Amino acid sequence: MKRFTNVNPRTMKDAFAAIGDGRQSGRHVSVAGGGTDLLQLMRERIVTPDVLVNLKTVQSNKAIAASTRGVTIGGLATLTSVSSDDTLRKRYTVLAEAAESVATPQIRNVGTLAGNVCQRPWCWYCRNGFKCFKNGGNACFSAAGENEFHAIFGGGPSFIVHPSDTAVALVALDASFALNTVRGERVVPARDFFALPTVNPAVENVLADGELLSEIRLPTARAGVKSSYTKVLDRETWTHAVVSAAVVLRMEGFDSVATRAWCSEASHRSRGRCQRSTGCWPASGSPSRSRPMPASWPSPTRVH
Amino acid sequence: MMQQPSTPAPKKYIGKATSRIDGTERVTGKATYAGDVKLPGMLHARILRSPHPHARITRIDTTKAAALPGVKAVLTHENCQQTWSSGAAPGGNIYGGQPGTRRLFNNPVRFWGEAIAAVAAVDPYTADDALQLIEVEYERLPFVLDPEDALKSDAPEIYPGGNLAPNARNQKQPETYRRGDVAAGFQGSAHVFEGKYTSSYINNAQLERRASVATWKDGALTLYASTQGISNCQAHMALDLGIPVDKVRVICHFMGGGFGNKNQNHDFDLLAAVLAKETGVPVKVEFTRKEDFTAVHGRWPTRQYYKVGVSAERHVAGRAVARRQRHGPVSEGHGRHLRRRALSVSERRDDDQSGVHQHGRVGQHARSCLSTGGLRHRVDDGRRGVQDERGPGRVPPQEHDAEVQRRDALHRYSLETCVRRGAEQFDWKNKWRKPGSDTGPIKRGIGMAIGNILSGLGRSGATIRLDANGRYTVFVAVTDIGSGAKTTMALVAAEALDVPLSQIDLVHGDTDSCPFSVGESGSRNTAQTGRAIIDAADSLKKQIAEKGQPTGAAFLVATATPSPQLQGVTRSTFCAHFVDVEVDTEVGRVRLLRYLACQDNGRIINPLTSVSQVKGAVTMGLGMALHERLLYDSRSGVPLNTGYYGARVATHLDAPNVEVSFVETDDGYGAYGSKCMGESGIIPSVAAIANAIFNATGTRFTELPISRRALMEARA
């Protein structure tokens, strides 16, 4: 690990000041929420900051607050606090379940919601320091390499799979993200926060340089809404999802469904998708043969 | 004549669940492992490793690194020609003098992660920064990863003369074992089955990373090591450094696991010693977790070709085996395991086994070299082909009996008892259904497998001292790699001396104060060092009878270093494992719903730690059966999934609740009839799980791991 200067800000204002100072002096600044992901990237020298701004010492931005307008979750709320919050468990079950499914208890106790949403891909080429799109290069080694856990949809030129469980739940919940810099705030819908590699294969989201995901905002939970999160793993725990599904469903009216045997276009497509992503490993090992996700594809199975 | 096992009479101190005598120190963080050792003025070393699987270093410039403030020494192949033998010379013979003799720094380098340079500095961060300043130019050379490709005539050579690893006689030939007329055996068979089985590279994955601290005084080395055996580590350090054994002191008071790859001395031990000598101050070498998963060996992957002939009576009439083991560029040992007197399944055998050098990680010892999954599996395949309706567990126990009876006398044969008792406890008879019976996507199935591991005897030592206060101090060179060996040794001493455990102090893990010990490998410490304790206790008791209890400052001391031999019999641990699985074929998930291990490990000295040993072994087997596989990028030769996360070593949540049922025996050998324990549980586990998956799905998987991917592909 390269030597670095650690900064412990007490407030977000201090944090932005530290980020600004570091950048102005031409130093590479990294920001750590829980730091569980960043630490590993630093050990591998994939990220080599001169200054580390450690947000763990910031006292704000940890609260989970419910109001008539919904729920706001500070970006520094830990995954454990998200998964154990009564309101979230009851009314935004999908998010609590997704947070609870992340990694291991040790990581959830330290890792933050914003950090989980913003974590870097776990592609083994990227994590082994191959000079790929994610590491300042202009290739994706998975395309002709070991790509068992790479993208079937939305790939190209990079084929990473976004590793965040909570991201899937937040998109399904129609959450919005408050992004802050020292100059102010902008709010983007969760579904627009994550960027396809066709836009910029080096990054996974629309965060600008120096911008932080400071708050996650959930809309008011409507009556009768049920939600749940599930994922398929290669073992019982501590791997990233091979495929995951977040469902937010409002049940109203009828108990039964149709006047005759009904072939639902949407569920048919979903099923096809599910089979592709769990059951299909191209014999050639080349994900480039798969089709990109259609632009009109709905965000994870959602029936509002 | 074979003797049936009988339940041994209970003893006074052993055989009762006893907490570890060092448990408090371990769980409160007071235990000092090698990585915790801090000596005054100690330097920290870090290692630069090869980014290529095969390359010649054409230029290496350490000027900038050496000039970095805080850097005290930089070693490369240019200024350090230290041999690292450690059983790793060709043929497994130390100092074989052959072209493959390993040094700490080699040029060319022959696998990704091989050491290029080492830096000692005032702290690990300075050392790490210095590594970045070392300039290396490589001439990249062609490499080969696949063991069968490596045997082709046009394959890049790891050493001149072909890539077949030398056998025990240092000849580049397969290890072979032939007995009887195999062709006639096949001709007389009602069914002949053939198949190719592969197993993957498995990481030892011990929690404690490799670490060593070395310090010199007056030409003598003191090494705080993380080793499975201080005696063999001491001997091999002395050999490699060219100094007398009494100039090497090895200390290891606590161990955080090894599973076979901390035998003898290692590069981290030698690097610490060489750097400490160079700088004149103590040096600590501690690997990173990644180095721990890449720079040293794990279980070798194999390709195994089997041909098994089965008679109408379901006896194995003949078998032919060809096995290729992927050794990496160095053979740690030489694959002699085939020649071991494993439980024979046939009078007629034609076995052919060889290690193959290639440009990957070195592969070798990892919790039972026998547990490579194939054979049991294959023979079960053969049997099942004949007797689909009856299922694996319905193979009458007499059949196993018959196999063994044809061998020379196997002492206290209890496999039949293990199978029968296990089948009863598991309720096999009512649970068994035809393979692939479930028509839905979620399929249940059961499987079983048998296993054995020879439980030999041999030399080890112990000293016991009695003082005037009536305290007994037991000196044994154990390090306790996690098995609970310290507690086991103290219990054996309590029993042998007939005094409570509270009257016993244990001095261990220091070659200056402890007599020779066999070390904790081959699951033999309890039987061998335990025997030495009993002999020393007997001798001490005689002295007490003659001289009376010591008074004042006087002591009574007794030492024993017995080398007991088996008289014309073979001694073995036996296991029969039963497992109930649920396979979700839609998502390719296997869950172990129930796991029962029925084992004869001789007399159980400490049921608490013995059960843990079997549970741990089964959990490792589970990882081997379902998850672990070391992937290389074929274009660059870089290993991709190292570390606990990437390697998918089984976690607690993956592990089922393993029920352990011991068939206790006491054959008079070992320490009160104890046999080997630590490795035994893994041997049948892989085949038991594979058989259960077959029973659930009706599909036989011949490649390990039986991953989600494999299950999904089979369904497609």
Side-chain angles (χ1 to χ4, degrees):
Chain A
M1 192 185 295
K2 197 183 84 168
R3 280 166 188 275
F4 61 89
T5 305
N6 186 65
V7 179
N8 289 334
R10 307 293 297 174
T11 63
M12 285 305 286
K13 199 178 156 199
D14 291 351
F16 283 119
I19 295 168
D21 289 352
R23 290 155 63 88
Q24 267 181 3
S25 58
R27 300 200 288 170
H28 178 194
V29 181
S30 286
V31 181
T36 57
D37 187 24
L38 186 66
L39 180 64
Q40 297 177 71
L41 294 166
M42 286 168 67
R43 279 196 179 137
E44 285 291 318
R45 289 185 182 254
I46 289 166
V47 178
T48 51
D50 305 299
V51 177
L52 182 72
V53 179
N54 169 29
L55 299 181
K56 274 207 283 294
T57 51
V58 172
Q59 292 308 308
S60 59
N61 288 57
K62 290 178 181 171
I64 300 170
S67 72
T68 50
R69 287 177 300 155
V71 172
T72 59
I73 306 170
L76 293 173
T78 64
L79 293 166
T80 298
S81 64
V82 169
S83 67
S84 57
D85 182 86
D86 284 345
T87 306
L88 295 179
R89 286 209 79 83
K90 201 167 154 192
R91 308 180 73 177
Y92 304 87
T93 314
V94 63
L95 179 60
E97 287 181 354
E100 195 169 36
S101 78
V102 173
T104 64
Q106 293 91 332
I107 291 172
R108 293 196 294 273
N109 286 343
V110 178
T112 64
L113 182 58
N116 184 260
V117 165
C118 297
Q119 71 181 297
R120 300 309 309 276
W122 278 85
C123 163
W124 39 42
Y125 288 97
C126 165
R127 294 274 164 168
N128 277 300
F130 281 71
K131 218 59 185 152
C132 65
F133 288 116
K134 303 297 180 188
N135 290 334
N138 60 356
C140 178
F141 293 87
S142 76
E146 293 290 343
N147 54 28
E148 186 175 342
F149 299 107
H150 287 76
I152 293 170
F153 300 112
S158 166
F159 291 89
I160 65 102
V161 172
H162 200 284
S164 172
D165 290 300
T166 57
V168 184
L170 290 167
V171 169
L173 283 168
D174 246 347
S176 52
F177 294 166
L179 314 182
N180 282 74
T181 63
V182 71
R183 288 179 302 282
E185 178 179 287
R186 64 175 174 137
V187 177
V188 298
R191 81 174 80 88
D192 297 335
F193 178 76
F194 303 100
L196 283 172
T198 44
V199 180
N200 179 359
V203 296
E204 297 79 55
N205 56 49
V206 300
L207 276 175
D209 210 7
E211 201 171 33
L212 298 180
L213 167 54
S214 55
E215 194 170 84
I216 290 92
R217 295 171 186 167
L218 307 177
T220 312
R222 296 170 68 183
V225 169
K226 305 277 184 199
S227 68
S228 187
Y229 183 77
T230 189
K231 62 179 177 180
V232 173
L233 298 171
D234 253 20
R235 56 179 177 179
E236 296 292 329
T237 185
W238 197 31
T239 64
H240 289 91
V242 174
V243 65
S244 62
V247 177
V248 178
L249 181 72
R250 184 154 64 93
M251 306 283 286
E252 60 183 28
F254 310 101
D255 288 336
S256 301
V257 179
T259 51
R260 64 171 172 83
W262 199 263
C263 183
S264 161
E265 186 68 18
S267 70
H268 212 71
R269 283 198 309 183
S270 300
R271 188 154 178 272
R273 227 179 123 201
C274 188
Q275 284 187 339
R276 279 193 63 79
S277 38
T278 59
C280 175
W281 282 270
S284 68
S286 168
S288 59
R289 296 193 318 173
S290 60
R291 294 170 305 181
M293 185 193 279
S296 61
W297 203 270
S299 55
T301 322
R302 186 162 67 105
V303 189
H304 262 300
Chain B
M1 193 55 210
M2 201 167 307
Q3 297 174 56
Q4 285 303 310
S6 55
T7 306
K11 295 275 184 185
K12 195 163 168 187
Y13 297 104
I14 61 172
K16 296 173 177 62
T18 308
S19 298
R20 291 166 191 254
I21 58 174
D22 61 350
T24 307
E25 286 163 283
R26 285 193 192 254
V27 299
T28 56
K30 290 197 175 107
T32 307
Y33 294 82
D36 299 324
V37 172
K38 291 185 182 73
L39 300 178
M42 184 176 81
L43 301 175
H44 298 260
R46 296 298 311 275
I47 299 151
L48 182 68
R49 296 189 175 277
S50 172
H52 305 298
H54 193 196
R56 185 170 290 109
I57 300 164
T58 53
R59 188 181 76 90
I60 185 160
D61 186 346
T62 61
T63 319
K64 285 180 191 160
L68 187 71
V71 171
K72 303 297 181 188
V74 185
L75 299 180
T76 70
H77 74 277
E78 290 184 346
N79 63 354
C80 175
Q81 282 82 42
Q82 175 64 52
T83 302
W84 170 26
S85 57
S86 190
N93 304 322
I94 292 179
Y95 300 116
Q98 299 299 307
T101 301
R102 174 168 57 174
R103 296 177 196 279
L104 278 182
F105 304 101
N106 299 289
N107 188 17
V109 285
R110 298 184 180 90
F111 68 99
W112 185 95
E114 185 163 1
I116 299 286
V119 172
V122 290
D123 61 61
Y125 308 103
T126 304
D128 206 57
D129 285 346
L131 296 186
Q132 312 301 314
L133 299 173
I134 297 173
E135 294 168 11
V136 193
E137 284 173 18
Y138 298 95
E139 178 198 345
R140 294 177 65 168
L141 301 171
F143 65 92
V144 60
L145 293 171
D146 184 275
E148 289 178 303
D149 288 348
L151 290 176
K152 291 176 182 162
S153 58
D154 59 345
E157 289 194 323
I158 286 76
Y159 304 105
N163 292 332
L164 203 64
N167 62 15
R169 295 164 302 285
N170 255 336
Q171 301 156 332
K172 288 203 167 192
Q173 286 170 8
E175 204 70 81
T176 55
Y177 183 76
R178 293 193 172 78
R179 187 173 68 194
D181 187 346
V182 175
F186 289 141
Q187 266 183 359
S189 295
H191 303 269
V192 176
F193 302 91
E194 289 184 68
K196 175 188 174 185
Y197 291 74
T198 64
S199 66
S200 294
Y201 194 98
I202 305 298
N203 300 283
N204 298 52
Q206 68 284 333
L207 269 180
E208 185 197 18
R209 289 178 283 137
R210 289 165 175 75
S212 204
V213 179
T215 182
W216 291 84
K217 193 181 175 193
D218 303 330
L221 170 70
T222 299
L223 190 73
Y224 297 86
S226 170
T227 178
Q228 292 180 223
I230 53 173
S231 300
N232 60 29
C233 181
Q234 177 194 37
H236 290 166
M237 285 300 285
L239 269 173
D240 280 347
L241 294 169
I243 56 176
V245 174
D246 62 8
K247 293 286 183 195
V248 179
R249 177 184 182 188
V250 177
I251 299 170
C252 177
H253 285 132
F254 288 91
M255 259 289 270
F259 304 108
N261 65 5
K262 287 181 183 169
N263 283 328
Q264 292 100 27
N265 65 336
H266 277 274
D267 52 349
F268 48 101
D269 302 314
L270 279 165
L271 276 170
V274 173
L275 284 166
K277 184 142 210 183
E278 181 92 6
T279 57
V281 288
V283 173
K284 176 188 282 185
V285 174
E286 190 171 21
F287 281 11
T288 64
R289 184 64 73 190
K290 187 165 184 172
E291 286 178 300
D292 219 44
F293 270 75
T294 53
V296 284
H297 60 74
R299 186 191 306 291
W300 48 38
T302 62
R303 305 268 165 88
Q304 305 174 44
Y305 297 86
Y306 283 95
K307 186 174 178 184
V308 179
V310 184
S311 72
E313 297 78 38
R314 303 189 310 278
H315 291 315
V316 178
R319 80 166 218 208
V321 179
R323 183 158 138 174
R324 299 288 170 263
Q325 302 174 159
R326 210 212 69 190
H327 277 198
V330 179
S331 291
E332 296 262 354
H334 48 73
R336 76 190 128 195
H337 306 102
L338 183 91
R339 300 185 339 140
R340 288 190 178 179
R341 288 143 61 95
L343 184 64
S344 171
V345 294
S346 171
E347 274 294 295
R348 302 185 177 92
R349 286 171 68 175
D350 184 356
D351 296 347
D352 166 332
Q353 168 172 306
S354 55
V356 181
H357 288 312
Q358 46 79 263
H359 295 100
R361 279 174 68 185
V362 177
Q364 229 263 2
H365 302 133
R367 200 168 202 157
S368 174
C369 312
L370 297 167
S371 58
T372 40
L375 173 61
R376 282 290 150 214
H377 211 139
R378 172 69 269 183
V379 175
D380 289 344
D381 255 10
R383 291 206 183 104
R384 190 163 301 99
V386 195
Q387 41 179 332
D388 244 351
E389 305 79 30
R390 303 186 61 187
R394 297 207 177 170
V395 174
Q398 293 84 340
E399 181 185 349
H400 304 309
D401 226 347
E403 288 168 7
V404 176
Q405 275 171 1
R406 282 197 293 268
R407 297 244 338 117
D408 49 354
L410 201 70
H411 200 57
R412 308 279 173 141
Y413 175 70
S414 63
L415 181 59
E416 179 188 330
T417 314
C418 292
V419 171
R420 191 186 296 137
R421 187 184 295 182
E424 272 167 30
Q425 287 179 11
F426 191 77
D427 196 17
W428 179 275
K429 208 172 160 185
N430 291 316
K431 281 188 165 179
W432 192 82
R433 294 177 304 152
K434 274 169 70 172
S437 292
D438 279 324
T439 51
I442 295 180
K443 300 175 189 299
R444 292 277 295 264
I446 60 171
M448 68 85 66
I450 56 173
N452 81 307
I453 180 169
L454 293 190
S455 200
L457 303 175
R459 182 166 160 261
S460 201
T463 299
I464 308 178
R465 187 183 71 188
L466 171 64
D467 68 16
N469 298 319
R471 292 206 67 78
Y472 293 85
T473 308
V474 178
F475 299 81
V476 276
V478 301
T479 62
D480 195 347
I481 61 170
S483 58
K486 287 179 207 166
T487 312
T488 313
M489 296 296 100
L491 282 169
V492 169
E495 187 70 44
L497 294 161
D498 194 19
V499 298
L501 198 60
S502 58
Q503 255 174 274
I504 293 186
D505 299 312
L506 200 75
V507 173
H508 65 278
D510 186 342
T511 52
D512 258 15
S513 46
C514 304
F516 167 84
S517 163
V518 63
E520 285 153 79
S521 58
S523 304
R524 54 196 165 164
N525 181 62
T526 303
Q528 295 189 203
T529 312
R531 182 73 241 172
I533 289 173
I534 295 170
D535 287 4
D538 288 347
S539 162
L540 187 66
K541 283 191 286 190
K542 270 185 206 150
Q543 289 187 46
I544 296 168
E546 287 165 15
K547 302 173 190 169
Q549 295 281 337
T551 54
F555 294 106
L556 290 180
V557 180
T559 288
T561 310
S563 289
Q565 302 293 322
L566 284 163
Q567 304 299 325
V569 293
T570 301
R571 190 167 184 258
S572 182
T573 284
F574 296 102
C575 337
H577 286 198
F578 299 81
V579 59
D580 190 345
V581 301
E582 178 188 276
V583 182
D584 183 338
T585 55
E586 287 201 320
V587 296
R589 177 161 53 209
V590 177
R591 281 200 168 122
L592 273 56
L593 304 177
R594 188 179 174 205
Y595 198 105
L596 171 69
C598 200
Q599 304 228 143
D600 168 13
N601 298 89
R603 188 194 288 273
I604 303 303
I605 306 291
N606 186 358
L608 191 66
T609 49
S610 296
V611 166
S612 297
Q613 287 273 288
V614 178
K615 286 183 174 181
V618 170
T619 306
M620 272 183 115
L622 162 77
M624 186 171 167
L626 300 179
H627 301 307
E628 285 191 63
R629 180 169 49 134
L630 178 61
L631 281 176
Y632 280 88
D633 176 54
S634 59
R635 289 172 301 170
S636 62
V638 176
L640 296 172
N641 56 343
T642 56
Y644 280 111
Y645 170 82
R648 307 195 171 206
V649 177
T651 67
H652 282 291
L653 287 178
D654 294 295
N657 177 31
V658 178
E659 300 160 48
V660 183
S661 177
F662 288 118
V663 174
E664 278 202 69
T665 56
D666 180 358
D667 63 4
Y669 290 110
Y672 302 111
S674 62
K675 297 181 189 172
C676 59
M677 174 67 75
E679 294 164 287
S680 60
I682 196 172
I683 293 170
S685 61
V686 178
I689 294 167
N691 285 340
I693 294 171
F694 168 72
N695 185 250
T697 61
T699 306
R700 171 59 72 181
F701 295 90
T702 57
E703 188 173 338
L704 297 179
I706 306 170
S707 62
R708 184 181 48 76
R709 177 182 184 155
L711 288 159
M712 301 295 296
E713 278 174 351
R715 182 173 169 264

